[in-house]
């Protein structure tokens, strides 16, 4: 059986049973439900094979290459963003095991999505449905740098909404150290309406 189908089926059954017990209207903003689903999603992502993902082989090579380098040599390694390279190095100093690295990455990725849905969704069930079935969740399986960067950007929205622009800009710049395309989010600090409408 396809593992992803099994995941979808499990989430569906949990949602139906929980909704029947407390009512679907109460489930829409139930934080225990949201945490439970995200724990399952994180575990599923964490336990995936290290060979799953469009760039799995290259990410694995990057990690092991960097793990063997000195801290100074990491800076000049290949073309990847500096934040991602040093992130690989720091994790490898704890344990030079790629599966462990993927576990840490999975947790970081899911934190941003969890936080964003928890704070800005009026219907957790609907938001989770979109997240899991519209390929956003699958996206996190293989595109590690972009997913880490996106997670940080989702966390930064809080500062933008609170008009704490310096904190917002700093977090966007930090996200760009994992994937440089994050810098486009700096436009939001100037109240660039086309993007603002999409977010809010």
């Amino acid at each position: 059986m396809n593992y992803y189908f099994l995941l979808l089926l499990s989430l569906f059954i949990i949602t139906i049973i929980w909704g029947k017990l407390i009512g679907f209207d109460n489930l829409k903003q139930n934080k225990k439900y949201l945490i439970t689903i995200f724990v399952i999603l994180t575990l599923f992502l964490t336990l995936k094979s290290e060979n799953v993902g469009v760039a799995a082989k290259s990410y694995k090579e990057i990690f092991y290459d960097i793990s063997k380098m000195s801290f100074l040599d990491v800076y000049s390694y290949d073309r990847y963003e500096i934040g991602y390279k040093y992130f690989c190095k720091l994790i490898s100093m704890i344990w030079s095991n790629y599966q462990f690295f993927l576990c840490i990455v999975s947790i970081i990725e899911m934190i941003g999505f969890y936080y964003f849905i928890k704070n800005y969704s009026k219907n957790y069930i609907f938001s989770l449905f979109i997240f899991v079935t519209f390929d956003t969740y699958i996206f996190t399986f293989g595109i590690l740098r972009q997913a880490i960067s996106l997670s940080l950007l989702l966390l930064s929205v809080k500062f933008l909404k609170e008009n704490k622009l310096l904190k917002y800009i700093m977090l966007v710049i930090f996200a760009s150290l994992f994937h440089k395309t994050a810098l486009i989010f700096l436009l939001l600090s100037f109240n660039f309406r086309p993007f603002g409408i999409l977010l809010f």
Side-chain angles (χ1 to χ4, degrees):
M1 181 184 283
N2 183 287
Y3 290 116
Y4 192 67
F5 176 75
L6 185 61
L7 172 69
L8 292 175
L9 183 61
S10 301
L11 298 181
F12 177 75
I13 291 170
I14 290 168
T15 302
I16 294 297
I17 292 173
W18 207 320
K20 289 286 187 182
L21 289 173
I22 69 168
F24 286 98
D25 282 340
N26 294 326
L27 198 58
K28 288 179 182 178
Q29 291 276 281
N30 189 296
K31 290 181 182 177
K32 289 181 180 178
Y33 165 75
L34 185 66
I35 290 170
T36 301
I37 297 300
F38 263 98
V39 166
I40 293 169
L41 292 175
T42 304
L43 285 172
F44 190 82
L45 189 58
T46 297
L47 297 173
K48 76 179 188 297
S49 167
E50 59 187 40
N51 298 314
V52 172
V54 291
K57 185 179 178 181
S58 61
Y59 277 124
K60 190 174 180 179
E61 288 174 358
I62 292 165
F63 178 77
Y64 282 120
D65 285 348
I66 288 175
S67 69
K68 297 168 188 171
M69 294 179 176
S70 71
F71 212 76
L72 292 175
D73 289 339
V74 171
Y75 181 81
S76 57
Y77 175 77
D78 216 320
R79 59 180 176 80
Y80 303 99
E81 286 84 356
I82 192 71
Y84 181 75
K85 291 189 288 188
Y86 276 105
F87 176 70
C88 289
K89 183 61 183 176
L90 288 171
I91 300 301
S92 73
M93 290 169 71
I94 299 169
W95 188 14
S96 186
N97 177 285
Y98 188 63
Q99 195 68 49
F100 172 71
F101 172 74
L102 288 178
C103 291
I104 301 299
V105 170
S106 300
I107 292 167
I108 292 170
E109 290 172 353
M110 290 298 100
I111 285 173
F113 287 103
Y114 165 77
Y115 180 85
F116 190 78
I117 291 174
K118 179 177 75 73
N119 287 284
Y120 305 113
S121 172
K122 294 180 179 178
N123 187 332
Y124 293 161
I125 302 170
F126 185 64
S127 295
L128 286 167
F129 175 78
I130 292 173
F131 176 56
V132 175
T133 62
F134 282 39
D135 286 344
T136 309
Y137 178 61
I138 288 292
F139 161 82
T140 65
F141 275 59
I143 317 209
L144 306 186
R145 293 179 299 128
Q146 292 93 325
I148 293 171
S149 182
L150 179 56
S151 181
L152 294 170
L153 290 172
L154 291 174
L155 292 171
S156 75
V157 171
K158 173 182 183 291
F159 298 125
L160 186 62
K161 292 198 73 170
E162 293 174 356
N163 207 29
K164 296 177 179 177
L165 293 183
L166 181 58
K167 289 182 178 180
Y168 172 75
I169 290 168
M170 288 173 66
L171 195 47
V172 169
I173 291 171
F174 183 60
S176 75
L177 298 178
F178 291 87
H179 203 275
K180 59 189 174 186
T181 56
L183 289 172
I184 196 167
F185 273 70
L186 289 176
L187 294 173
L188 292 177
S189 62
F190 300 104
N191 200 21
F192 191 62
R193 294 310 301 169
F195 287 98
I197 290 169
L198 290 174
L199 275 177
F200 309 115

